[in-house]
Structures are given as C-alpha cells and as structure tokens.
Amino acid sequence: MSKLKKMKKRSQIVSFLREIAIVVLGVLIAVSVSNYKERKDNEKYIEQTLLAIENEIRLSNNEVDTVLKKHVKLFEILEEQIEEKDQTLGELVANSGGFQVASIKNVSLRFFVSNKAELLDFKLISQLLDIELQTNLLSDKVKRFADFAYEHVNDKEEEVMLKFAYLLADVIDGDADAFGILFGFLSVGGE
C-alpha cells in the first residue's frame, strides 16, 4: 500500500508540474504575441508619423522656396531704388509685392517626440531638431526685421533703406538655410 501511495503522490506531482508548465507556456505565448503586436503597432505608428513629418517638411520646403524668391525680388527692387527718396519704406514694400513669412510646420515632430521618441534613431531626431532650431532662428530674424519695418514704415531716408536691406538680407539668409535643411532632409529621405 505504501508503494501505491508513493505512486499516487508522484503522479500528483507530475500532474501538478505538467499544469504549471502548460500555464507558463501559455503565458510565454501570450507575452510573445503581445510583444509581436506591439512591435507591429510601433512600426505602423512610425511609418505613419514619418509620412506625416515628410509631408509637413515637403509643404514647408515649398513654402520657404516661394517666400525666398519673393524676398530676393524685394531685395533686388530695394537695391535699384535705395537712393531714390520718393517712396516711403512702406510704399516700397507694398509696390514690390509685400513681405511674406514662411510657415515651417513641425506639429508631427513635436507630437511624435513627446509620445514615442524612443522609437526613432538619434540621427533622425537630430535632423528634425535641426529643422526646429533653424525655424526658431528664422523666426527671430523675421521678428527683428518686422519690428524695424513697422517702426520705419513712413521713413524715406537712405540710412533706413540700407538697414532695411541688411535685415532683409539676414532674413533671406535664414530662408536659404531653412530651405537647405528641409531640402537636405527630403533628399536623403529623412535618414
């Protein structure tokens, strides 16, 4: 009888270990499926976000290119008429088509970085942050330029026109830098 009890106990232990193994195997399978699904979801999220970022950069690049051409045209007109004192600064700007500010969009970048930045490689994040830095630098140049222009909108003096030209050249330089960074990002496909 004691042999029968031992076999019964051994059978219960084996049965218990078998059930534990089944549960552990089930948990491992569930974790693996969950990890696979999370990886696929992250890949899809990255793909969609990078597409949104690329589209924003493409739109921004086109806008910067358009604005850059307008600023160069304004600068050329200013060069031709800088010594003439028959127009105020405001009239000169209005007669040459005005001044425009490029809107460089980076909403997708900010959203992505604040939510899942760890999914992107450092080089890509660095490129995107360079774009944001260039946008901020350009914004500062435009603000300085606009402040001066509004302050001197009714002035005709050559000194005012020269300073306006210098500030405009600085904005053009910022536009060109922004265009270069955006174009560079698009040329290498964001990698």
Side-chain angles (χ1 to χ4, degrees), residues 89-90 143-157 160 163-164 167:
L89 180 59
K143 182 181 179 339
R144 190 171 45 245
F145 173 79
D147 288 347
F148 179 84
Y150 288 129
E151 186 177 317
H152 297 283
V153 73
N154 294 318
D155 294 344
K156 295 181 178 183
E157 294 82 27
V160 168
K163 188 163 185 182
F164 181 80
L167 291 170

Side-chain angles (χ1 to χ4, degrees), residues 66-110:
T66 300
V67 169
L68 177 59
K69 289 173 183 171
K70 285 184 176 186
H71 290 170
V72 168
K73 178 184 171 196
L74 175 60
F75 188 81
E76 289 168 350
I77 291 170
L78 186 60
E79 277 184 320
E80 292 171 5
Q81 299 181 5
I82 202 158
E83 293 177 1
E84 297 176 22
K85 296 180 182 171
D86 58 335
Q87 293 186 78
T88 66
L89 180 59
E91 292 168 337
L92 178 73
V93 171
N95 292 338
S96 63
F99 180 79
Q100 188 177 356
V101 177
S103 173
I104 301 176
K105 296 157 186 64
N106 56 5
V107 174
S108 296
L109 164 66
R110 289 184 182 163

Side-chain angles (χ1 to χ4, degrees), residues 56-72:
E56 280 186 352
I57 289 175
R58 193 173 311 284
L59 290 171
S60 296
N61 191 51
N62 291 338
E63 188 168 337
V64 169
D65 184 41
T66 300
V67 169
L68 177 59
K69 289 173 183 171
K70 285 184 176 186
H71 290 170
V72 168

